Amino acid sequence: MTEQWVNLAATILLIIAFAMLSQRRVLSLVRLFAWQGLVLSVSTAMVAYSTGQSHLWISAALTLGLKVIVLPIVLHSLIVRLNVRWDVEPLINVPTTMLAGIGLVIFAFALATPISQLAGTVTRSTLGIALASVLLSFLMMIVRRKAVPQVIGFLAMENGLFFAATSATYGMPLVVELGIALDVLVGTFVFGIFFFHIRETFDSLDIRHMEKLKED
């Protein structure tokens, strides 16, 4: 029964990944990232309940506090203070991006099938979706021009990596998870400072302006 609920959570994560890939509004991306963190937290808690892995309860609590509450608030505050335009400007149009995303999903499932057969976890069937979520988040980073959506894509990719670890081996050691959580939190604040410096220098968060530094 737990495996079915975890599979449902994995499906929702994949749907959210596609929604983030097609989203044109920055604030909506933040909300989708928060929903992704919530689904990931619930999925981790279900695996913890099913397997008795006590460290997964801590992981679920960390995910809930950091990725559902703290990071969305920080990102929302940055967006408001930077007065970022609501519309996201992709490098390629949405239909082409979605077709590329479907291709990445097919590739992820083909790659994960032989690996999942070797895994002995109850969540091994979700490994393909986890890898697909990682690749879709990476694609989102590539096709965005603005710095803020790229950072959200990076954070979403970390969610996919965490879900992949949970699917394959019931998560990483607690010390590693705590270190990653701290790195993500500190990295977000560093990105915030970086955003302000870009805005002050170029009066825009379009990463194409960074090419001027090469010319100088």
Side-chain angles (χ1 to χ4, degrees):
M1 185 66 178
T2 303
E3 185 176 359
Q4 295 177 351
W5 283 107
V6 173
N7 289 336
L8 176 61
T11 303
I12 296 174
L13 282 176
L14 185 61
I15 294 173
I16 293 176
F18 269 108
M20 295 176 74
L21 191 63
S22 62
Q23 187 55 243
R24 292 180 175 271
R25 297 182 180 273
V26 178
L27 289 178
S28 297
L29 277 177
V30 175
R31 296 190 188 99
L32 286 171
F33 172 74
W35 278 108
Q36 189 182 54
L38 179 62
V39 175
L40 183 61
S41 177
V42 171
S43 173
T44 304
M46 287 190 294
V47 175
Y49 175 79
S50 175
T51 62
Q53 300 285 334
S54 58
H55 73 280
L56 289 179
W57 287 110
I58 301 177
S59 300
L62 281 174
T63 302
L64 181 63
L66 184 63
K67 299 178 180 179
V68 181
I69 300 175
V70 176
L71 288 181
I73 291 176
V74 171
L75 290 170
H76 187 276
S77 176
L78 284 173
I79 291 170
V80 172
R81 292 183 62 185
L82 288 168
N83 193 23
V84 179
R85 288 181 57 189
W86 281 57
D87 291 334
V88 176
E89 299 178 8
L91 293 175
I92 56 178
N93 58 51
V94 173
T96 303
T97 302
M98 297 299 286
L99 287 176
I102 293 173
L104 288 177
V105 171
I106 296 174
F107 172 77
F109 274 92
L111 181 64
T113 298
I115 300 175
S116 60
Q117 291 176 351
L118 299 176
T121 61
V122 297
T123 54
R124 60 184 181 272
S125 59
T126 62
L127 184 58
I129 294 180
L131 292 178
S133 298
V134 172
L135 293 177
L136 290 176
S137 299
F138 185 67
L139 178 62
M140 187 176 75
M141 292 176 62
I142 294 175
V143 300
R144 302 301 186 190
R145 291 177 178 174
K146 302 295 184 180
V148 175
Q150 289 193 344
V151 171
I152 297 175
F154 169 77
L155 295 174
M157 186 168 63
E158 195 275 330
N159 283 344
L161 290 172
F162 178 80
F163 189 64
T166 304
S167 302
T169 62
Y170 293 145
M172 298 169 284
L174 183 58
V175 174
V176 178
E177 292 179 8
L178 289 173
I180 292 176
L182 180 61
D183 288 343
V184 170
L185 183 60
V186 172
T188 303
F189 283 104
V190 171
F191 279 130
I193 297 172
F194 183 59
F195 292 159
F196 281 107
H197 279 294
I198 296 177
R199 186 62 176 268
E200 291 176 358
T201 304
F202 302 110
D203 195 30
S204 173
L205 289 177
D206 195 324
I207 60 174
R208 291 177 298 176
H209 293 301
M210 297 295 289
E211 297 177 359
K212 296 179 181 179
L213 297 177
K214 297 180 181 179
E215 298 175 0
D216 295 338

